[in-house]
């Protein structure tokens, strides 16, 4: 299984070996993981990452809704880390996030 941090970086277009933004990304990913916990996704007692060591399998051992969770985390982190300048893209991401929250809940 892929590292949560590494695969999120890949989706954001950041090379795995480029670690300049890792601390900021870890903070944003952990914020989104907290939201997922509140939605009932993942371990009931919460989950957080500290770097590239934690994998998707650690967060969701059975793999249920895994691809949706990956997309959701990417979109939420994208809005926090690198928000789009286009209002149309911002609206599209926001609508997609809302739909994923509804479906995951």
């Amino acid at each position: 299984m892929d590292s949560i941090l590494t695969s999120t970086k890949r989706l954001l277009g950041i090379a795995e070996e480029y670690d300049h933004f890792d601390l900021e990304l870890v903070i944003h990913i952990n914020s989104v993981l907290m939201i997922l916990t509140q939605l009932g996704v993942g371990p009931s007692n919460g989950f957080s990452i500290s770097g590239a060591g934690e994998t998707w399998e650690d967060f969701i051992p059975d793999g249920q809704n895994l691809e949706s969770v990956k997309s959701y985390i990417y979109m939420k982190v994208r809005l926090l880390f690198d928000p789009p300048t286009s209002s149309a893209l911002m609206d599209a991401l926001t609508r997609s996030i809302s739909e994923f929250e509804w479906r995951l809940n």
Side-chain angles (χ1 to χ4, degrees):
M1 277 272 171
D2 280 341
S3 154
I4 295 171
L5 176 61
T6 301
S7 58
T8 303
K9 285 172 67 171
R10 202 174 312 130
L11 288 168
L12 291 167
I14 302 171
E16 180 178 348
E17 61 276 356
Y18 189 75
D19 61 1
H20 185 73
F21 297 115
D22 282 6
L23 177 60
E24 188 175 351
L25 291 171
V26 165
I27 290 168
H28 292 322
I29 290 168
N30 283 334
S31 295
V32 178
L33 290 170
M34 185 249 342
I35 293 168
L36 285 167
T37 298
Q38 291 177 344
L39 291 173
V41 177
S44 59
N45 61 341
F47 186 85
S48 65
I49 67 169
S50 58
E54 294 82 11
T55 67
W56 293 107
E57 188 173 88
D58 296 334
F59 180 56
I60 303 179
D62 63 3
Q64 183 178 5
N65 298 320
L66 181 58
E67 298 307 314
S68 296
V69 168
K70 288 180 182 181
S71 294
Y72 178 78
I73 289 177
Y74 156 70
M75 288 185 286
K76 289 290 281 186
V77 170
R78 166 86 192 274
L79 286 181
L80 293 167
F81 176 73
D82 184 24
T85 56
S86 162
S87 62
L89 182 54
M90 177 73 86
D91 290 343
L93 276 173
T94 303
R95 282 192 308 274
S96 293
I97 287 168
S98 293
E99 181 177 348
F100 274 106
E101 288 173 343
W102 182 81
R103 292 184 184 280
L104 289 168
N105 195 13

